[in-house]
């Protein structure tokens, strides 16, 4: 996500229905610059750890702030004792979300600010998963230059593929290609899958989730010219020759 991403603006766009929930989560996860209340854990060498805040001894809240003013507004509202004396600053959203455990009832983005949003306990697994999405996308982007990341790409458990039922058979949905090549369309997240469905306007496409080992083993056996990750966005598309599937299956 570009450095120009503004969490406050993005939340407002979500409430104005110009940004989907998945698009908002991707942006918040990708954004670097979050401020999270913290304490120094003297029992574990003095390392800083994120604070979980309880109100009335019941619900457990996790606070994140996009900017200093949002942090100060919340601190003025709930008090210094609840917020603690320290913060961990300038972190990626997905790094904060990865530490969330099942005890967290609410994840609060800019609480007590005009542009705030709250995620519930049921949404916490989805927040954690964004770390996996962004890591596999980074591996896909850099693998040809670094020759590293086959294990990350193969281990990913939540690829989306489109299946089309026609003439009594079932076929893998292909990425659009002006040269008529057979390019498998693969997606790393639901927003990428939705972008494909929106662009292609194919009601017959049914999206399915498949794990990396089964995906690349299957692709390596198919008659294809290649494969494309996230062909319609929101990330830049990345195309590979069909032999790449076999390399992932073998080296991952």
């Amino acid at each position: 996500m570009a450095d120009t991403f503004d969490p406050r603006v993005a939340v407002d766009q979500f409430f104005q229905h110009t940004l989907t929930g998945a698009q908002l989560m991707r942006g918040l996860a990708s954004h670097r610059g979050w401020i999270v209340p913290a304490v120094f854990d003297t029992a574990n060498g003095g390392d800083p750890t994120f604070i979980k805040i309880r109100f009335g001894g019941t619900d457990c809240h996790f606070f994140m702030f996009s900017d200093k003013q949002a942090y100060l507004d919340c601190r003025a509202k709930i008090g210094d004792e609840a917020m603690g004396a320290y913060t961990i600053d300038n972190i990626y959203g997905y790094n904060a979300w990865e530490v969330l455990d099942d005890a967290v009832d609410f994840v609060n983005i800019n609480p007590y600010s005009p542009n705030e949003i709250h995620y519930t306990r049921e949404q916490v697994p989805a927040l954690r998963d964004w770390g996996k999405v962004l890591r596999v996308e980074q591996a896909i982007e850099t693998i040809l230059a670094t020759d590293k990341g086959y294990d990350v790409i193969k281990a990913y458990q939540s690829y989306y593929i489109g299946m089309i039922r026609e003439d009594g058979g079932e076929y893998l949905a292909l990425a659009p290609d002006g040269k008529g090549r057979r390019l498998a369309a693969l997606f790393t997240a639901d927003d990428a899958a939705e972008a494909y469905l929106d662009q292609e306007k194919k009601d017959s496409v049914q999206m399915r989730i498949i794990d990396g080992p089964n995906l690349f083993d299957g692709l390596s056996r198919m008659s294809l010219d290649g494969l494309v990750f996230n062909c319609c966005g929101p990330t830049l598309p990345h195309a590979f020759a069909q032999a790449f599937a076999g390399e992932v299956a073998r080296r991952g």
Side-chain angles (χ1 to χ4, degrees), residues 40-156:
F40 283 93
D41 188 356
T42 55
N44 292 299
D47 292 331
T49 58
F50 297 131
I51 289 176
K52 296 168 188 173
I53 299 171
R54 290 192 178 273
F55 292 110
T58 55
D59 292 336
C60 180
H61 294 255
F62 185 88
F63 285 2
M64 298 171 60
F65 304 95
S66 62
D67 53 81
K68 195 68 174 180
Q69 189 59 55
Y71 170 77
L72 292 174
D73 288 345
C74 182
R75 192 179 187 92
K77 186 73 175 181
I78 71 171
D80 295 347
E81 183 177 353
M83 292 286 281
Y86 305 99
T87 60
I88 301 176
D89 300 351
N90 200 36
I91 62 173
Y92 285 102
Y94 74 88
N95 287 145
W97 291 348
E98 284 177 324
V99 306
L100 298 175
D101 57 32
D102 294 336
V104 174
D105 295 296
F106 295 96
V107 176
N108 303 304
I109 309 294
N110 289 345
Y112 302 106
S113 289
N115 296 75
E116 62 179 315
I117 192 167
H118 310 276
Y119 292 108
T120 65
R121 174 195 290 266
E122 291 74 23
Q123 294 169 297
V124 166
L127 299 181
R128 285 197 299 251
D129 284 347
W130 274 104
K132 301 172 187 175
V133 173
L134 296 175
R135 283 193 170 88
V136 77
E137 289 178 352
Q138 182 180 33
I140 290 166
E141 180 179 353
T142 61
I143 193 165
L144 294 182
T146 64
D147 198 38
K148 298 178 180 178
Y150 288 96
D151 55 340
V152 175
I153 294 171
K154 183 177 178 179
Y156 186 58

